[in-house]
Amino acid sequence: MRIGVIIAPAVLLGALLAGGTAQASAAPAHGGPSSVPSSAPPSVTAREAYLVDATTGTIQLAKRDTRRVPIASLTKVMTAYVVRRQARLDSVVTITKADVRHAVAGGATAAGLRAGERLTVRDLLYALMLPSGADAAHALAQRYGPGTTKFVARMNAAAKSLGLRDTHYANPDGLPSKGYSTARDQAALATAALADPVIATVARTPARKIAKTSVHRAHTWRNTNTLLKDGALGLKTGYTRQAGYCLSFVAVREGHTFVGVLLGERGDAARFATARKLLEWVTGELDAGMTAGAGIT
Protein backbone atom coordinates (compact mmCIF):
# COMPACT_ATOMS: atom_id res chain seq x y z
CA MET A 1 0.00 0.00 0.00
CA ARG A 2 1.36 3.38 -0.99
CA ILE A 3 0.64 6.47 1.09
CA GLY A 4 1.61 9.91 -0.14
CA VAL A 5 0.49 13.50 -0.26
CA ILE A 6 -1.91 13.79 -3.19
CA ILE A 7 -4.49 16.52 -2.79
CA ALA A 8 -7.32 16.72 -5.28
CA PRO A 9 -7.21 19.91 -7.39
CA ALA A 10 -9.81 22.61 -7.01
CA VAL A 11 -11.45 21.60 -10.31
CA LEU A 12 -12.82 18.53 -8.54
CA LEU A 13 -14.99 20.69 -6.26
CA GLY A 14 -17.75 20.76 -8.85
CA ALA A 15 -17.76 16.99 -9.16
CA LEU A 16 -17.84 16.53 -5.38
CA LEU A 17 -20.75 18.94 -4.97
CA ALA A 18 -22.63 17.50 -7.93
CA GLY A 19 -22.45 14.03 -6.44
CA GLY A 20 -19.45 12.51 -8.16
CA THR A 21 -19.76 9.86 -10.83
CA ALA A 22 -21.48 7.02 -9.01
CA GLN A 23 -23.03 5.92 -5.73
CA ALA A 24 -21.65 3.05 -3.68
CA SER A 25 -25.06 1.43 -3.93
CA ALA A 26 -25.05 1.52 -7.74
CA ALA A 27 -24.30 -1.51 -9.88
CA PRO A 28 -20.58 -2.31 -10.28
CA ALA A 29 -18.88 -0.77 -13.30
CA HIS A 30 -16.20 -2.32 -15.51
CA GLY A 31 -13.88 -3.12 -12.61
CA GLY A 32 -10.47 -1.65 -11.84
CA PRO A 33 -9.27 0.72 -9.15
CA SER A 34 -11.44 3.70 -10.18
CA SER A 35 -14.74 1.83 -10.53
CA VAL A 36 -17.79 1.84 -8.31
CA PRO A 37 -17.23 -0.28 -5.16
CA SER A 38 -18.03 -3.92 -5.81
CA SER A 39 -18.64 -4.89 -2.18
CA ALA A 40 -20.94 -3.39 0.42
CA PRO A 41 -19.40 -0.68 2.63
CA PRO A 42 -18.96 -1.32 6.34
CA SER A 43 -21.65 -0.24 8.78
CA VAL A 44 -21.63 3.48 9.52
CA THR A 45 -23.18 4.65 12.79
CA ALA A 46 -22.77 8.36 12.08
CA ARG A 47 -26.09 10.04 11.30
CA GLU A 48 -24.64 11.58 8.14
CA ALA A 49 -21.65 10.39 6.14
CA TYR A 50 -19.92 10.93 2.84
CA LEU A 51 -16.83 9.37 1.31
CA VAL A 52 -15.55 10.17 -2.16
CA ASP A 53 -12.56 9.14 -4.22
CA ALA A 54 -11.49 12.68 -5.12
CA THR A 55 -9.03 11.34 -7.68
CA THR A 56 -11.82 9.93 -9.84
CA GLY A 57 -14.87 11.76 -8.45
CA THR A 58 -16.44 8.41 -7.53
CA ILE A 59 -18.69 8.38 -4.46
CA GLN A 60 -17.86 5.46 -2.20
CA LEU A 61 -20.51 6.12 0.45
CA ALA A 62 -23.37 8.60 0.83
CA LYS A 63 -25.66 8.60 3.86
CA ARG A 64 -27.97 11.59 4.27
CA ASP A 65 -25.08 13.53 2.75
CA THR A 66 -27.19 16.58 1.80
CA ARG A 67 -29.06 16.97 5.09
CA ARG A 68 -28.39 20.32 6.77
CA VAL A 69 -27.08 19.77 10.29
CA PRO A 70 -24.77 21.48 12.83
CA ILE A 71 -21.10 20.62 12.31
CA ALA A 72 -19.47 21.83 15.55
CA SER A 73 -15.77 22.66 15.18
CA LEU A 74 -15.56 21.55 11.57
CA THR A 75 -16.57 25.20 11.24
CA LYS A 76 -12.96 26.12 12.01
CA VAL A 77 -11.83 24.73 8.64
CA MET A 78 -13.63 27.63 6.99
CA THR A 79 -12.21 30.01 9.59
CA ALA A 80 -8.70 28.92 8.60
CA TYR A 81 -9.60 29.14 4.91
CA VAL A 82 -10.83 32.73 5.25
CA VAL A 83 -7.86 33.81 7.39
CA ARG A 84 -5.46 32.48 4.78
CA ARG A 85 -7.04 34.80 2.24
CA GLN A 86 -6.88 37.82 4.50
CA ALA A 87 -3.74 37.62 6.58
CA ARG A 88 0.04 37.42 6.34
CA LEU A 89 1.45 34.49 8.28
CA ASP A 90 3.93 36.71 10.11
CA SER A 91 1.34 39.29 11.15
CA VAL A 92 0.95 39.54 14.92
CA VAL A 93 -2.39 39.34 16.75
CA THR A 94 -2.81 40.46 20.36
CA ILE A 95 -5.02 38.21 22.48
CA THR A 96 -7.68 40.09 24.44
CA LYS A 97 -9.71 39.33 27.54
CA ALA A 98 -12.75 39.01 25.28
CA ASP A 99 -11.05 36.20 23.32
CA VAL A 100 -10.38 34.25 26.50
CA ARG A 101 -13.82 34.94 27.99
CA HIS A 102 -15.52 33.81 24.79
CA ALA A 103 -14.08 30.32 25.03
CA VAL A 104 -14.71 30.02 28.77
CA ALA A 105 -18.29 31.31 28.61
CA GLY A 106 -19.15 28.97 25.75
CA GLY A 107 -17.66 25.94 27.47
CA ALA A 108 -15.53 25.44 24.38
CA THR A 109 -12.15 23.84 23.86
CA ALA A 110 -9.37 26.39 24.08
CA ALA A 111 -5.72 26.76 23.16
CA GLY A 112 -4.80 28.15 26.57
CA LEU A 113 -4.25 31.67 25.32
CA ARG A 114 -4.01 34.56 27.80
CA ALA A 115 -4.90 38.20 27.43
CA GLY A 116 -1.94 40.31 26.36
CA GLU A 117 -0.11 37.55 24.52
CA ARG A 118 1.01 38.42 21.00
CA LEU A 119 1.17 35.57 18.53
CA THR A 120 1.67 35.31 14.78
CA VAL A 121 -1.14 34.28 12.48
CA ARG A 122 0.83 31.12 11.69
CA ASP A 123 0.89 30.15 15.37
CA LEU A 124 -2.79 30.97 15.79
CA LEU A 125 -3.68 28.68 12.88
CA TYR A 126 -2.08 25.83 14.83
CA ALA A 127 -3.92 26.95 17.98
CA LEU A 128 -7.14 26.98 15.96
CA MET A 129 -6.82 23.63 14.19
CA LEU A 130 -4.91 21.31 16.53
CA PRO A 131 -6.57 21.75 19.97
CA SER A 132 -9.57 23.42 18.27
CA GLY A 133 -9.14 26.64 20.21
CA ALA A 134 -12.24 28.82 20.32
CA ASP A 135 -10.06 31.54 21.83
CA ALA A 136 -7.87 31.48 18.72
CA ALA A 137 -10.95 31.52 16.46
CA HIS A 138 -12.32 34.57 18.25
CA ALA A 139 -8.99 36.40 18.11
CA LEU A 140 -8.60 35.79 14.39
CA ALA A 141 -12.20 36.80 13.64
CA GLN A 142 -11.88 39.98 15.64
CA ARG A 143 -8.74 40.96 13.76
CA TYR A 144 -9.69 39.90 10.24
CA GLY A 145 -13.40 40.71 10.08
CA PRO A 146 -12.70 43.06 11.58
CA GLY A 147 -15.12 41.83 14.22
CA THR A 148 -17.02 38.56 14.38
CA THR A 149 -20.05 39.75 12.39
CA LYS A 150 -17.99 40.84 9.41
CA PHE A 151 -15.79 37.76 9.64
CA VAL A 152 -18.82 35.45 9.54
CA ALA A 153 -20.02 37.36 6.48
CA ARG A 154 -16.67 36.59 4.88
CA MET A 155 -17.11 32.91 5.77
CA ASN A 156 -20.50 32.79 4.09
CA ALA A 157 -19.17 34.64 1.05
CA ALA A 158 -16.39 32.06 0.77
CA ALA A 159 -18.93 29.23 1.09
CA LYS A 160 -20.93 30.76 -1.75
CA SER A 161 -17.85 31.15 -3.94
CA LEU A 162 -16.99 27.48 -3.38
CA GLY A 163 -20.51 26.40 -4.32
CA LEU A 164 -21.45 25.20 -0.83
CA ARG A 165 -25.17 25.78 -1.33
CA ASP A 166 -26.25 23.96 1.82
CA THR A 167 -23.88 25.70 4.22
CA HIS A 168 -24.46 28.69 6.46
CA TYR A 169 -22.09 29.90 9.17
CA ALA A 170 -23.21 31.81 12.26
CA ASN A 171 -19.88 32.01 14.11
CA PRO A 172 -16.19 31.21 13.52
CA ASP A 173 -15.89 28.39 16.07
CA GLY A 174 -18.88 26.03 15.72
CA LEU A 175 -20.40 26.63 19.14
CA PRO A 176 -24.16 25.90 19.14
CA SER A 177 -25.91 28.33 16.81
CA LYS A 178 -28.16 28.47 13.76
CA GLY A 179 -25.26 27.52 11.52
CA TYR A 180 -25.39 24.35 9.43
CA SER A 181 -23.75 22.41 6.63
CA THR A 182 -23.86 18.97 5.03
CA ALA A 183 -21.45 16.06 4.80
CA ARG A 184 -21.10 16.64 1.05
CA ASP A 185 -20.36 20.36 1.43
CA GLN A 186 -17.77 19.67 4.11
CA ALA A 187 -16.01 17.17 1.84
CA ALA A 188 -15.78 19.86 -0.84
CA LEU A 189 -14.46 22.36 1.71
CA ALA A 190 -11.85 19.85 2.90
CA THR A 191 -10.63 19.51 -0.68
CA ALA A 192 -10.37 23.27 -1.11
CA ALA A 193 -8.73 23.83 2.29
CA LEU A 194 -6.04 21.20 1.82
CA ALA A 195 -5.15 22.68 -1.56
CA ASP A 196 -3.66 25.47 0.57
CA PRO A 197 -0.16 24.26 1.53
CA VAL A 198 -0.20 26.07 4.89
CA ILE A 199 -3.52 24.58 5.99
CA ALA A 200 -2.36 21.18 4.70
CA THR A 201 0.81 21.40 6.80
CA VAL A 202 -1.08 22.51 9.92
CA ALA A 203 -3.74 19.81 9.54
CA ARG A 204 -1.25 16.94 9.38
CA THR A 205 0.90 18.13 12.29
CA PRO A 206 0.54 15.89 15.39
CA ALA A 207 1.77 18.55 17.81
CA ARG A 208 3.09 22.09 17.72
CA LYS A 209 5.39 23.59 20.35
CA ILE A 210 6.34 27.24 20.56
CA ALA A 211 8.91 28.48 23.04
CA LYS A 212 8.34 31.30 25.49
CA THR A 213 9.29 34.75 24.25
CA SER A 214 8.99 38.27 25.57
CA VAL A 215 5.49 38.57 24.04
CA HIS A 216 3.90 35.16 24.72
CA ARG A 217 4.08 32.11 26.94
CA ALA A 218 5.32 28.70 25.85
CA HIS A 219 2.55 26.63 24.27
CA THR A 220 2.14 23.01 23.22
CA TRP A 221 -0.87 22.22 21.03
CA ARG A 222 -1.74 18.61 20.25
CA ASN A 223 -3.86 17.53 17.33
CA THR A 224 -7.21 16.02 18.34
CA ASN A 225 -7.31 14.00 15.11
CA THR A 226 -5.94 10.56 16.05
CA LEU A 227 -6.49 9.36 12.47
CA LEU A 228 -3.11 10.95 11.70
CA LYS A 229 -1.55 7.83 13.24
CA ASP A 230 -3.10 5.87 10.36
CA GLY A 231 -1.51 8.05 7.71
CA ALA A 232 -4.35 10.54 7.27
CA LEU A 233 -3.44 14.01 6.00
CA GLY A 234 -5.93 15.76 8.29
CA LEU A 235 -8.34 17.40 8.71
CA LYS A 236 -10.60 18.33 11.67
CA THR A 237 -12.61 17.02 14.59
CA GLY A 238 -15.65 18.59 16.21
CA TYR A 239 -18.13 18.01 18.99
CA THR A 240 -21.11 19.65 20.60
CA ARG A 241 -24.09 17.98 22.19
CA GLN A 242 -26.20 19.36 19.36
CA ALA A 243 -23.92 18.15 16.54
CA GLY A 244 -22.58 14.93 18.04
CA TYR A 245 -19.06 13.78 17.24
CA CYS A 246 -17.87 14.98 13.84
CA LEU A 247 -14.84 14.29 11.69
CA SER A 248 -13.60 15.38 8.29
CA PHE A 249 -10.62 13.44 6.98
CA VAL A 250 -8.42 13.06 3.93
CA ALA A 251 -6.17 10.10 3.24
CA VAL A 252 -4.28 8.66 0.28
CA ARG A 253 -4.57 4.97 -0.51
CA GLU A 254 -2.92 3.35 -3.55
CA GLY A 255 -2.47 6.71 -5.23
CA HIS A 256 -6.09 7.76 -4.71
CA THR A 257 -7.11 10.65 -2.47
CA PHE A 258 -10.18 9.88 -0.35
CA VAL A 259 -12.15 12.65 1.33
CA GLY A 260 -14.58 11.66 4.07
CA VAL A 261 -16.95 13.36 6.47
CA LEU A 262 -18.78 11.84 9.45
CA LEU A 263 -21.40 13.91 11.27
CA GLY A 264 -23.48 13.07 14.33
CA GLU A 265 -21.37 10.09 15.36
CA ARG A 266 -22.22 8.51 18.72
CA GLY A 267 -18.81 8.77 20.38
CA ASP A 268 -15.26 10.04 20.17
CA ALA A 269 -13.69 6.65 19.48
CA ALA A 270 -16.52 5.64 17.15
CA ARG A 271 -15.80 8.37 14.59
CA PHE A 272 -12.18 7.27 14.22
CA ALA A 273 -13.12 3.57 14.17
CA THR A 274 -15.64 4.22 11.41
CA ALA A 275 -13.14 6.25 9.38
CA ARG A 276 -10.54 3.49 9.71
CA LYS A 277 -13.05 0.84 8.59
CA LEU A 278 -13.99 2.92 5.56
CA LEU A 279 -10.36 3.45 4.56
CA GLU A 280 -9.59 -0.25 5.00
CA TRP A 281 -12.60 -1.08 2.83
CA VAL A 282 -11.68 1.24 -0.04
CA THR A 283 -8.08 0.02 0.10
CA GLY A 284 -9.35 -3.53 -0.28
CA GLU A 285 -11.50 -2.43 -3.22
CA LEU A 286 -8.52 -0.81 -4.92
CA ASP A 287 -6.29 -3.83 -4.32
CA ALA A 288 -8.97 -6.16 -5.70
CA GLY A 289 -9.41 -3.95 -8.77
CA MET A 290 -5.69 -3.89 -9.44
CA THR A 291 -5.49 -7.66 -9.11
CA ALA A 292 -8.40 -8.13 -11.50
CA GLY A 293 -6.93 -5.63 -13.96
CA ALA A 294 -3.67 -7.55 -14.00
CA GLY A 295 -5.48 -10.80 -14.77
CA ILE A 296 -4.51 -12.37 -11.46
CA THR A 297 -6.97 -14.83 -9.94
Side-chain angles (χ1 to χ4, degrees):
M1 180 174 69
R2 300 188 303 276
I3 299 177
V5 179
I6 304 176
I7 299 300
V11 294
L12 282 175
L13 283 174
L16 294 179
L17 291 166
T21 59
Q23 294 281 355
S25 57
H30 53 75
S34 64
S35 67
V36 179
S38 58
S39 64
S43 174
V44 172
T45 52
R47 292 191 294 263
E48 298 83 27
Y50 191 68
L51 179 68
V52 62
D53 181 342
T55 302
T56 64
T58 304
I59 297 174
Q60 308 294 304
L61 174 77
K63 177 182 178 182
R64 303 187 187 98
D65 56 301
T66 60
R67 185 161 72 173
R68 295 176 173 181
V69 294
I71 58 168
S73 285
L74 268 59
T75 297
K76 295 186 179 85
V77 177
M78 181 58 86
T79 299
Y81 184 84
V82 170
V83 168
R84 282 289 293 137
R85 276 142 192 81
Q86 295 290 119
R88 292 169 53 95
L89 290 173
D90 58 356
S91 293
V92 174
V93 177
T94 300
I95 306 304
T96 68
K97 291 180 180 179
D99 300 327
V100 177
R101 283 198 303 264
H102 173 76
V104 173
T109 53
L113 306 180
R114 289 186 182 176
E117 287 192 280
R118 301 178 67 220
L119 296 120
T120 64
V121 167
R122 184 189 298 275
D123 285 337
L124 286 176
L125 287 172
Y126 282 97
L128 174 78
M129 295 290 286
L130 272 60
S132 201
D135 43 3
H138 193 270
L140 289 166
Q142 287 297 107
R143 172 70 177 269
Y144 293 105
T148 300
T149 299
K150 290 183 178 179
F151 189 85
V152 171
R154 293 184 189 277
M155 295 171 72
N156 286 315
K160 183 177 180 180
S161 72
L162 290 171
L164 310 184
R165 294 186 296 271
D166 293 305
T167 296
H168 174 73
Y169 294 101
N171 58 43
D173 47 47
L175 286 168
S177 68
K178 294 182 179 179
Y180 57 80
S181 187
T182 68
R184 183 180 295 187
D185 275 8
Q186 287 303 298
L189 176 59
T191 303
L194 289 190
D196 181 308
V198 173
I199 296 178
T201 297
V202 171
R204 67 173 180 262
T205 300
R208 171 81 168 183
K209 293 184 178 181
I210 61 172
K212 179 181 178 180
T213 72
S214 60
V215 296
H216 63 70
R217 300 187 304 138
H219 289 279
T220 298
W221 298 307
R222 303 189 186 283
N223 203 318
T224 58
N225 183 7
T226 63
L227 204 62
L228 296 181
K229 298 176 182 178
D230 299 270
L233 307 180
L235 178 66
K236 191 70 187 71
T237 63
Y239 170 77
T240 64
R241 186 175 299 177
Q242 180 188 29
Y245 290 88
C246 303
L247 175 69
S248 62
F249 61 95
V250 178
V252 175
R253 296 294 186 267
E254 304 294 357
H256 288 239
T257 300
F258 291 94
V259 182
V261 176
L262 302 172
L263 303 176
E265 184 57 274
R266 61 188 178 183
D268 180 29
R271 57 183 164 184
F272 298 115
T274 297
R276 291 185 184 102
K277 286 193 298 183
L278 287 171
L279 290 173
E280 289 170 2
W281 169 63
V282 294
T283 301
E285 291 290 310
L286 289 171
D287 288 342
M290 290 175 182
T291 300
I296 300 172
T297 60

